[in-house]
Amino acid sequence: MAAGSQLLAVALLLLLLPRRVVGVPLSQASPRAPSCGYQSCHATKPNMLNVHLVPHTHDDVGWLKTVDQYFYGDRNDIQHAGVQYILDSVVDQLLKNPDRRFIYVETAFFYRWWRQQSSSMQQTVKQLVNQGRLEFVNGGWCMSDEATTHYSAVIDQMTMGLTFLNETFGPCGRPRVAWHIDPFGHAREHASMFAQMGYDGFFFGRVDYQDRGRRMMDKEQELLWRASDSLTPPMADLFTGILPNGYNPPEGFCWDQLCDDPPIRDDPDLEDYNVDDVVKRFLNIAHSQALVYKTKHIIMTMGSDFQYENANLWYKNLDKLIHYVNAQQANGSSVNVLYSTPSCYLQELHRANLTWALKTDDFFPYADDSHDFWTGYFTSRPALKRYERLSNSNLQACNQLEVLGGPLSRKGPFGEGDSQTMKKAMAVAQHHDAVSGTEKQHVANDYARRLANGWQHCQVLVSNSLAAISGSSAERFYCDNLNISVCPLTESSNKFSVSVFNPLARPITRPVRLPVNGSVYSVTDANGKPVDCEVLPVSRATQAVRGNQGFAVRELVFQVQAPPLGYSTYSVSLLQGGPTAAFMQPRTATAIQNKYLRVTFDPDTGLLSSFSNLETKQTIKLTQNFYWYNASAGNNAESNQPSGAYIFRPNSSTPFLISRTAETECVQTPVVQEVRQWFAPWVSQVVRLYSDSRALELEWTVGPIPIDDDLGKEVITRLDTDIKSSEIFYTDSNGREVLQRRKDFRPTWHLKQSEPIAGNYYPINSRAFIKDDVDQLTVVTDRSQGGGSIQNGSLEIMLHRRLLYDDVRGVGEPLNETSHIFPDGLVVRGHLLLSLDPPGSAADTHRPLAQEVVLQPLLSFADGDPLPDTRLEFSGLQAALPPAVHLLTLTQWDKDSVLLRLEHQFQSWESKLNSQPVTINLQKLFSTLEVLGVSELNLSANQWKDEMRRFDWTAQTDDHPLPKRFQDPSPWEVTLRPMDIRTFLLRVVLTPLRAA
């Protein structure tokens, strides 16, 4: 059939299908059927050891240089690296020999390069891709970090990269293999996501040195990872391979311009002829490697960081290596060498039809030597980690409002706005040297600048959208520094309104704190009803941290309510006269409480002493304080490893107490009660309880960390309770499923513990908890942090780090953050939310609470009274979604389609009430969108769900699970089971809003 006829037939067929939305991911027609993917693999020899050589480059999307500097090859005084030249050179060399192969990973770079190419070069590259000579692996915008990223941002960045590849190259651009060769430990949730994205396998380079040693002995470096305890196998099963040399070539076989290994000198008339030596060394390495893997196939990664800028060096020597090693087969050699890719290697493992060791935990923490635990980066650059999380919240609101506001959101009364700039900035920020905090300072600044620029673009879109929905084009203002009580409009205006947009699919009630200078205000809601409010003095800590950025002396505090996926508007007016601000009591409150919770304080120390849930009649002893570990300078007898951006290595297992007592002040009003604690000039906290809250808020402020004593410091807060936790605590994986952690224990090998603190730290992405049979104390965090449970009943979380030495992992500078705003050292502020519940129902509290922290209300302000006929309240949903269901994604896909992800946010075992299937009707979901058609996609939105096929693998320890197909009640009704994420492409039309 001719190509044009094929396309027409496909389009007609899809139009006839009731549930299929036309748009993506359609395959692209080509003159010849492409032979990419598994069809393009070189033949192997069944009775030989087949060595798969994989030419590759590892191109960090920022690390020692910014992403722009890396692409252009700028600042080579820092590091010689230029990605545009790598791609130029590789394409040139691939064309010279059809046997050659190359894989590329980081779509952020490839996208830039592609846009600069001529149409003829683009056609050439498409031909290479269609023939499987250039293959994409992983395919996300970046290679994300696995410890400090939130699952929603990982899904977004993977979708962005894979969508570009799909639209540009069709099916041949779809990666079959996930490839995380550099991240510093591996999260179970990442494996689950990769499985749901349709990958057949997953390869990585870094694994704990003890874990690797045991796996080499047992030939378990290739395994089956069961990455969910809720999703029915094999839905989250992923074949996983640990690469033999990290991601580097075998020693002596690096032929890049950055390497010093000798080339293959194959002229026998020259005295430096070395072919025999090269072949002998290679055969020895191949046979040694084969001893620790299970099949007649082994893989060698031929490349490393930013290699192949002069690809001729690599390929000329690889061609010779393959030729001369294979020539030995005539002399009885049983080794066959070939150009290959990770997918071709994976195909051979699958064909071997073996059973594989099963793994159900994760690969944290990672250590590459006995005193070298990579657990410091769980907390490194805490301000950037918070800014990234806040940016994700802003981006999701921006995406949602782009859909709800329609075309006017992109071009409206406030100009042209877009979400794409923010999407790209957030995608880059997921890189394993970005949000991880393991980059140079100027690169961290660049990531933050990109996020800020993206938010500026989104602000225009948000203002346009809200104008379209509300009917008011009054100018809107955004206050990004409310956490330090800075907002120029509220500080100076006598009358203003605040719109509270709620990106969650359920109504929320939460406090708003606005900087003001008056003493008495009135607040009314969207219906004109008065709202209780209080005026509190700005704390000393806030005044100190904001410096001269704001001048408010008070904060106006009131509770707001916002409908699901919508906004509500509150009007604020300054009243003349009235009493002064809430009375501040310079003493320790013995207790603060609301109708749900009560906390008590020790009158002698000013510290917390107990925590009670009044609804469930639970009480635990609870004390909390701040400490610091002295960071190793790397000069002691056991090891010369210092603490740094990656590595956490305290000098002692006993942290230094910052203060035994806290100086306190107390504020008690009907809206909020708080105890303000000062521990040192550089450590303070507010213990805060709002009237309608089921969580206790701890707002901590740490910095500038003093270093005038020449001691690097790693600052923690520690919660000590009488919960009998049996040396067990729990952390989340990328914000989703919860994993059990046990002190000095690893589920898959016998741990020899050499760092009793750092070796017991794990990533806490959104929550951690300790429990016994009666009580569960859960801590919800506002960013990724590291933490552990070193003592029974104890939970510690690292908040901030300031270090004086580099940890010799390549970044080349100590983690010592300063700026023009904080010349004496970075000050960081954050929140911990504490809840106390029976273990059987604790998830009913912490699941929605964590989502509220991740997706916060977006506040916008307008001066004066709202204009007449302004729509003061709006919901984009016909009704709130059930508590178990989370609206994960709502974003514009093309002119007529939106991408929707719905998620069941409970694990199968954690709630009697909510760990049940839930059915949602997609046609009855939105209030202003009419859904005309629906198609289900895989998680990364680059394959139709019903066309997704993956390799099946068999574990050694269980029966072979068959894929289970659940039937939805009807085409429009979709059922979500625990931990499901379902992705839909909806064809929609925007329906007119009824008059306000």
Side-chain angles (χ1 to χ4, degrees):
M1 190 184 286
S5 303
Q6 276 185 314
L7 270 180
L8 182 62
V10 169
L12 286 172
L13 176 64
L14 293 183
L15 282 168
L16 292 171
L17 293 174
R19 301 194 64 217
R20 177 56 55 86
V21 174
V22 181
V24 290
L26 287 177
S27 57
Q28 300 192 347
S30 57
R32 288 198 305 260
S35 59
C36 57
Y38 298 122
Q39 287 71 46
S40 64
C41 299
H42 290 310
T44 58
K45 297 192 175 180
N47 297 318
M48 291 193 176
L49 173 62
N50 291 275
V51 183
H52 294 250
L53 302 183
V54 178
H56 81 105
T57 179
H58 176 61
D59 298 343
D60 289 303
V61 186
W63 179 38
L64 309 183
K65 306 199 292 190
T66 69
V67 60
D68 291 349
Q69 291 166 351
Y70 272 134
F71 180 75
Y72 285 108
D74 196 8
R75 292 301 306 273
N76 280 345
D77 56 312
I78 298 175
Q79 180 187 12
H80 186 96
V83 174
Q84 61 173 336
Y85 308 120
I86 294 171
L87 290 166
D88 289 342
S89 185
V90 164
V91 170
D92 176 65
Q93 288 300 313
L94 288 176
L95 293 171
K96 293 182 176 179
N97 179 351
D99 288 340
R100 292 173 175 174
R101 297 290 184 266
F102 194 78
I103 62 168
Y104 201 72
V105 180
E106 293 84 8
T107 305
F109 283 134
F110 188 86
Y111 166 85
R112 289 170 175 232
W113 181 82
W114 177 260
R115 293 177 70 199
Q116 296 180 359
Q117 304 310 303
S118 66
S119 58
S120 63
M121 175 55 79
Q122 289 183 348
Q123 282 304 119
T124 298
V125 173
K126 284 184 178 180
Q127 185 179 1
L128 290 172
V129 172
N130 285 340
Q131 294 171 354
R133 293 154 69 184
L134 174 62
E135 180 177 303
F136 297 100
V137 298
N138 211 64
W141 206 247
C142 69
M143 185 186 296
S144 59
D145 181 58
E146 298 193 44
T148 65
T149 47
H150 191 267
Y151 71 97
S152 62
V154 173
I155 293 169
D156 283 351
Q157 75 88 9
M158 292 299 296
T159 300
M160 173 174 276
L162 293 169
T163 298
F164 168 76
L165 294 177
N166 191 64
E167 291 175 348
T168 307
F169 299 105
C172 288
R174 179 171 66 83
R176 270 63 171 178
V177 166
W179 183 257
H180 268 213
I181 54 178
D182 195 25
F184 332 121
H186 304 283
R188 195 176 79 174
E189 193 61 37
H190 261 73
S192 176
M193 289 187 286
F194 287 150
Q196 295 173 71
M197 290 174 183
Y199 290 101
D200 286 322
F202 178 34
F203 292 96
F204 59 70
R206 298 186 188 272
V207 66
D208 186 276
Y209 74 105
Q210 293 183 51
D211 194 4
R212 183 187 285 276
R214 200 279 299 170
R215 289 184 180 278
M216 288 173 71
M217 283 196 305
D218 296 340
K219 292 190 177 183
E220 289 186 1
Q221 290 190 93
E222 290 161 336
L223 57 125
L224 184 61
W225 197 351
R226 183 151 294 161
S228 171
D229 60 18
S230 294
L231 299 173
T232 305
M235 189 174 173
D237 286 4
L238 189 64
F239 181 89
T240 301
I242 301 167
L243 297 168
N245 300 301
Y247 55 89
N248 299 308
E251 189 175 348
F253 291 86
C254 185
W255 290 306
D256 194 74
Q257 64 185 17
L258 300 173
C259 300
D260 301 322
D261 295 339
I264 296 179
R265 301 183 292 261
D266 56 347
D267 186 341
D269 294 335
L270 299 180
E271 67 175 275
D272 288 339
Y273 179 82
N274 67 350
V275 170
D276 295 340
D277 175 63
V278 168
V279 170
K280 181 181 177 182
R281 285 190 293 113
F282 185 84
L283 291 174
N284 285 338
I285 288 171
H287 286 301
S288 295
Q289 185 177 321
L291 294 175
V292 294
Y293 287 89
K294 282 179 77 165
T295 74
K296 284 286 190 181
H297 295 266
I298 60 173
I299 187 171
M300 292 185 184
T301 45
M302 307 308 283
S304 193
D305 290 359
F306 297 98
Q307 294 195 1
Y308 285 78
E309 197 170 305
N310 183 351
N312 180 46
L313 299 176
W314 260 115
Y315 282 115
K316 194 162 203 169
N317 285 281
L318 287 173
D319 286 350
K320 292 179 181 181
L321 181 71
I322 292 170
H323 171 74
Y324 289 117
V325 172
N326 287 348
Q328 292 300 307
Q329 293 171 15
N331 299 326
S333 170
S334 60
V335 174
N336 180 55
V337 190
L338 63 150
Y339 279 117
S340 191
T341 66
S343 60
C344 292
Y345 174 64
L346 183 72
Q347 179 173 236
E348 296 298 339
L349 298 183
H350 186 250
R351 285 172 173 169
N353 199 27
L354 302 178
T355 61
W356 305 91
L358 187 70
K359 182 178 177 68
T360 58
D361 59 312
D362 65 1
F363 289 93
F364 287 119
Y366 162 60
D368 55 8
D369 208 341
S370 55
H371 298 284
D372 306 7
F373 280 85
W374 297 47
T375 53
Y377 80 97
F378 300 163
T379 295
S380 295
R381 301 196 187 279
L384 179 64
K385 281 179 164 63
R386 174 61 189 150
Y387 191 45
E388 180 274 336
R389 189 67 58 87
L390 189 62
S391 297
N392 184 46
S393 180
N394 287 339
L395 173 60
Q396 301 311 320
C398 181
N399 288 339
Q400 294 169 356
L401 283 165
E402 183 176 10
V403 171
L404 297 173
L408 287 174
S409 62
R410 293 180 288 280
K411 193 171 183 179
F414 299 100
E416 293 189 15
D418 73 271
S419 57
Q420 203 64 20
T421 307
M422 186 66 153
K423 285 175 179 172
K424 289 177 182 173
M426 270 298 296
V428 165
Q430 304 316 303
H431 168 60
H432 58 269
D433 287 307
V435 66
S436 59
T438 54
E439 63 280 80
K440 281 187 179 290
Q441 184 64 55
H442 78 104
V443 181
N445 296 343
D446 183 67
Y447 289 130
R449 181 192 61 77
R450 289 174 183 278
L451 293 171
N453 181 50
W455 175 225
Q456 290 299 314
H457 285 248
C458 263
Q459 281 183 15
V460 178
L461 188 152
V462 168
S463 294
N464 285 338
S465 178
L466 290 173
I469 296 169
S470 69
S472 168
S473 56
E475 185 177 6
R476 292 179 183 270
F477 302 89
Y478 301 87
C479 293
D480 296 330
N481 294 315
L482 286 175
N483 65 325
I484 55 169
S485 293
V486 174
C487 180
L489 177 67
T490 65
E491 292 173 42
S492 58
S493 176
N494 292 338
K495 186 169 284 194
F496 60 89
S497 64
V498 52
S499 289
V500 182
F501 177 76
N502 170 24
L504 295 169
R506 52 187 174 79
I508 57 163
T509 300
R510 62 177 296 149
V512 166
R513 301 176 74 93
L514 304 178
V516 294
N517 283 299
S519 56
V520 183
Y521 288 81
S522 71
V523 179
T524 55
D525 65 15
N527 297 313
K529 293 181 180 177
V531 175
D532 289 341
C533 62
E534 297 290 345
V535 177
L536 315 180
V538 171
S539 71
R540 279 188 288 156
T542 295
Q543 290 176 16
V545 74
R546 78 180 179 200
N548 59 7
Q549 295 178 74
F551 61 93
V553 296
R554 301 183 180 97
E555 290 178 319
L556 175 66
V557 184
F558 56 98
Q559 296 273 22
V560 297
Q561 296 180 331
L565 197 66
Y567 69 82
S568 193
T569 307
Y570 289 78
S571 297
V572 179
S573 299
L574 173 67
L575 298 181
Q576 301 303 314
T580 57
F583 181 65
M584 181 75 70
Q585 303 169 12
R587 61 172 179 78
T588 301
T590 54
I592 57 175
Q593 74 175 69
N594 62 16
K595 55 192 170 187
Y596 306 117
L597 303 175
R598 173 182 169 86
V599 287
T600 63
F601 296 82
D602 185 317
D604 296 324
T605 63
L607 304 179
L608 283 168
S609 58
S610 75
F611 185 25
S612 300
N613 182 329
L614 302 177
E615 288 185 295
T616 58
K617 297 180 171 55
Q618 292 171 268
T619 298
I620 59 168
K621 292 179 181 176
L622 171 66
T623 60
Q624 180 245 357
N625 211 324
F626 295 86
Y627 307 79
W628 58 274
Y629 289 106
N630 178 209
S632 172
N635 55 2
N636 62 28
E638 288 183 317
S639 167
N640 59 4
Q641 177 62 56
S643 254
Y646 302 89
I647 308 291
F648 171 36
R649 184 165 180 242
N651 263 345
S652 166
S653 298
T654 305
F656 291 89
L657 180 62
I658 290 172
S659 176
R660 294 189 180 282
T661 61
E663 179 190 340
T664 61
E665 290 178 347
C666 180
V667 178
Q668 291 187 301
T669 75
V671 175
V672 64
Q673 301 173 57
E674 53 188 50
V675 175
R676 301 175 177 182
Q677 301 171 313
W678 286 266
F679 295 85
W682 55 282
V683 179
S684 64
Q685 179 173 261
V686 180
V687 181
R688 187 177 286 138
L689 194 55
Y690 289 100
S691 58
D692 290 327
S693 179
R694 284 183 162 86
L696 178 70
E697 178 182 322
L698 305 180
E699 182 188 71
W700 52 269
T701 305
V702 176
I705 298 176
I707 52 170
D708 48 4
D709 53 6
D710 294 326
L711 298 177
K713 297 176 180 65
E714 326 231 17
V715 181
I716 65 165
T717 187
R718 196 175 75 203
L719 303 161
D720 294 311
T721 75
D722 57 353
I723 292 174
K724 300 173 183 64
S725 58
S726 305
E727 298 192 330
I728 291 171
F729 81 118
Y730 299 80
T731 66
D732 65 314
S733 180
N734 298 124
R736 286 206 89 214
E737 296 199 18
V738 169
L739 282 79
Q740 184 188 93
R741 313 297 193 181
R742 186 181 301 167
K743 183 182 174 185
D744 297 333
F745 177 78
R746 304 289 187 267
T748 52
W749 83 91
H750 181 69
L751 175 69
K752 182 182 178 183
Q753 184 62 275
S754 47
E755 285 287 331
I757 306 300
N760 282 305
Y761 259 53
Y762 291 86
I764 300 170
N765 202 266
S766 66
R767 81 208 73 192
F769 58 81
I770 52 175
K771 66 175 185 174
D772 56 23
D773 293 339
V774 179
D775 300 308
Q776 177 172 321
L777 176 69
T778 308
V779 180
V780 170
T781 64
D782 65 351
R783 72 201 75 194
S784 287
Q785 295 168 314
S789 179
I790 310 300
Q791 309 293 335
N792 272 328
S794 173
L795 188 61
E796 67 180 59
I797 296 173
M798 189 181 290
L799 305 176
H800 197 359
R801 319 175 72 215
R802 190 176 188 187
L803 309 171
L804 306 181
Y805 299 92
D806 175 59
D807 56 7
V808 204
R809 291 304 184 280
V811 78
E813 63 183 38
L815 185 67
N816 183 3
E817 296 181 274
T818 61
S819 71
H820 69 280
I821 297 176
F822 298 117
D824 297 325
L826 181 68
V827 181
V828 185
R829 170 170 285 180
H831 297 83
L832 302 174
L833 297 178
L834 275 57
S835 61
L836 176 64
D837 299 280
S841 61
D844 299 329
T845 301
H846 72 69
R847 284 287 176 191
L849 186 63
Q851 294 291 11
E852 277 188 44
V853 174
V854 170
L855 292 183
Q856 298 189 348
L858 176 59
L859 305 185
S860 60
F861 300 87
D863 202 10
D865 281 325
L867 297 173
D869 300 323
T870 298
R871 182 183 299 276
L872 298 179
E873 198 163 60
F874 164 82
S875 174
L877 298 183
Q878 293 186 29
L881 291 181
V885 179
H886 175 56
L887 177 66
L888 179 59
T889 305
L890 179 63
T891 189
Q892 199 73 35
W893 188 263
D894 58 27
K895 187 169 67 75
D896 302 312
S897 304
V898 299
L899 188 72
L900 171 73
R901 287 191 185 93
L902 296 175
E903 168 192 0
H904 196 303
Q905 63 177 341
F906 285 80
Q907 284 173 258
S908 58
W909 49 267
E910 64 185 1
S911 169
K912 289 180 182 177
L913 184 64
N914 287 308
S915 295
Q916 305 294 333
V918 182
T919 299
I920 304 294
N921 189 315
L922 298 178
Q923 280 191 310
K924 296 179 180 179
L925 194 56
F926 300 105
S927 63
T928 59
L929 295 175
E930 184 182 354
V931 180
L932 304 177
V934 56
S935 302
E936 186 164 8
L937 297 163
N938 66 337
L939 182 59
S940 47
N942 66 326
Q943 294 178 77
W944 301 119
K945 182 70 176 289
D946 57 9
E947 293 177 4
M948 190 176 89
R949 302 287 183 271
R950 297 202 301 135
F951 284 166
D952 54 340
W953 304 88
T954 304
Q956 292 170 351
T957 52
D958 67 348
D959 295 331
H960 185 69
L962 294 172
K964 204 176 256 189
R965 295 273 176 188
F966 294 107
Q967 192 68 37
D968 287 323
S970 78
W972 300 108
E973 293 177 303
V974 297
T975 299
L976 295 155
R977 288 168 176 80
M979 282 291 129
D980 270 353
I981 300 177
R982 297 186 65 177
T983 305
F984 302 97
L985 195 62
L986 306 181
R987 192 167 76 250
V988 298
V989 292
L990 200 63
T991 57
L993 284 163
R994 292 188 297 273

